[in-house]
Amino acid sequence: MKVAYSDAHRTHDPQSFLVRGRMQRSAEQPARADHLLQAVEAAGHRVVEAEDFGSGPRTAIHTPEYLDFLETAHERWQSLGDASPEVLPNIHPMREGGGYPQSIVGRAGYHMADTACPIGPGTWSAAVQAAHTACHAAQLVADGEHVAYALCRPPGHHAYADKAGGFCYLNNTAIAAQWLLPRFGRVAILDVDVHHGNGTQDIFYWRADVLHLSLHADPAQFYPFFAGYAHERGAGAGLGYNLNVPLPIGTSDAAYLRELKRVVAFIKVFTPGALVVALGLDAYEGDPLKGLAITTAGFGAIGAAIARIGIPTVLVQEGGYLSPELGGNLVSFLQGFESVA
Ligand SMILES: [Zn+2]
């Protein structure tokens, strides 16, 4: 399988992550991509350097003011004087009355859903390159590959059209889906990350041309808390084109695969021309975030079940945090997929 990748992710190395009121080192570290890259290379997959697709793909998903914020926030933050090395919000407005804030402090709150997305000097360039990486894999599939994998970092599925959140800045999965749309007619997005793909859901919530489905740990007990419930089914023309499957904390392979079967049947009814998989590996039983309990073999079975849908597929890396098995879980998923494709 061809793997789109860029070393540019290294410029993004977030240091701060507020967990239960305690500031920790972010779990979204460059070493994640190193583990994934080493594993796919060792397994014989072909790594290709992601090309530059320009600003078009990101402007098709994100608002101009949000993109301008991401690009300029670090420099503006530093010019405040006595500022932290990373941009971090300390106020989250209700977005009523006052309009778009002038101050970079106000804008940080306006455009950041939580404190998990610090903006350092290299965040923008890494996020841009991750979006190019997703586009590159989508282009490979548009050019005739049955499947391609985008090794994106930072991840994307918690990013809204105008908000960063949950380690995510640009929504790589949404960008890939939008890129595929004119080439394949209708596109389905299947999110298997342990967290609900709240940003992706919101981006396509009112649309019928992109079906969004997400299996994830129950948000009643797990990030993102405010979205990911079964009653969220889309709105307007998009009503019925969003499917959430919240799962009990600790759900293991057999129960997960039963639910996945139901989701796959839902996708087939939609008859999409292409599929984008938001491929989080943090549903792993040994993942530090401890939401679900999928085994390494389970990822292979999930990959095979998705491959049986039988349509051109772009795999976009989302979450999955440092554990000795991180790379092995990716390889297991890819092998499972290729055992069918
Ligand atoms: Zn996740």
Side-chain angles (χ1 to χ4, degrees):
M1 190 181 303
K2 286 185 181 166
V3 173
Y5 170 77
S6 169
D7 223 25
H9 73 87
R10 277 180 211 296
T11 62
H12 175 60
D13 188 5
Q15 297 299 307
S16 38
F17 179 35
L18 197 59
V19 181
R20 293 172 193 158
R22 294 184 189 279
M23 196 61 86
Q24 301 181 358
R25 169 91 196 271
S26 176
E28 208 290 281
Q29 300 172 15
R32 294 179 57 240
D34 295 337
H35 284 238
L36 296 169
L37 183 66
Q38 284 162 13
V40 290
E41 283 180 330
H45 298 287
R46 197 172 136 215
V47 177
V48 294
E49 175 72 22
E51 291 168 14
D52 186 336
F53 286 77
S55 62
R58 62 179 180 266
T59 59
I61 293 295
H62 295 285
T63 66
E65 58 191 18
Y66 175 59
L67 292 170
D68 179 68
F69 164 77
L70 281 182
E71 186 171 6
T72 61
H74 185 261
E75 197 178 330
R76 293 189 62 188
W77 189 260
Q78 296 312 313
S79 72
L80 289 171
D82 199 26
S84 59
E86 295 179 322
V87 181
L88 277 171
N90 56 275
I91 182 166
H92 294 288
M94 295 299 289
R95 300 196 174 189
E96 288 170 23
Y100 189 57
Q102 292 283 314
S103 158
I104 188 61
V105 180
R107 287 185 185 182
Y110 189 90
H111 288 302
M112 294 162 101
D114 53 47
T115 53
C117 298
I119 297 174
T123 297
W124 168 249
S125 56
V128 164
Q129 198 59 34
H132 291 328
T133 302
C135 273
H136 196 109
Q139 184 63 54
L140 288 169
V141 168
D143 288 344
E145 296 285 335
H146 179 65
V147 59
Y149 166 64
L151 205 178
C152 295
R153 185 186 166 269
H157 72 149
H158 297 306
Y160 289 69
D162 68 348
K163 269 191 296 190
F167 307 147
C168 302
Y169 304 85
L170 298 179
N171 194 315
N172 309 313
T173 287
I175 286 169
Q178 185 69 38
W179 180 257
L180 291 170
L181 212 46
R183 295 151 180 92
F184 290 93
R186 296 200 291 181
V187 175
I189 297 172
L190 172 54
D191 192 321
V192 298
D193 188 282
V194 75
H195 302 99
H196 174 241
N198 55 333
T200 318
Q201 169 176 298
D202 191 77
I203 287 165
F204 296 114
Y205 205 65
W206 293 77
R207 288 170 53 171
D209 53 348
V210 177
L211 174 69
H212 178 256
L213 316 98
S214 181
L215 295 102
H216 46 267
D218 189 345
Q221 307 295 337
F222 210 69
Y223 186 92
F225 300 105
F226 303 113
Y229 297 92
H231 68 264
E232 297 159 31
R233 298 182 52 242
L239 183 61
Y241 294 91
N242 190 78
L243 179 69
N244 285 328
V245 182
L247 301 165
I249 302 294
T251 294
S252 55
D253 293 351
Y256 189 98
L257 288 163
R258 270 198 305 276
E259 292 297 325
L260 181 60
K261 204 169 176 182
R262 185 165 72 84
V263 169
V264 164
F266 202 91
I267 293 173
K268 285 182 173 169
V269 170
F270 180 66
T271 59
L275 175 69
V276 179
V277 179
L279 181 54
L281 298 166
D282 43 8
Y284 177 53
E285 59 181 348
D287 190 273
L289 301 189
K290 299 265 179 248
L292 301 179
I294 303 303
T295 65
T296 300
F299 282 110
I302 293 168
I306 294 172
R308 281 189 209 104
I309 299 168
I311 57 174
T313 300
V314 179
L315 310 171
V316 178
Q317 183 64 48
E318 293 286 356
Y321 300 95
L322 290 177
S323 75
E325 297 81 13
L326 177 61
N329 290 337
L330 172 61
V331 168
S332 176
F333 182 97
L334 301 182
Q335 276 175 349
F337 194 101
E338 288 191 317
S339 73
V340 175

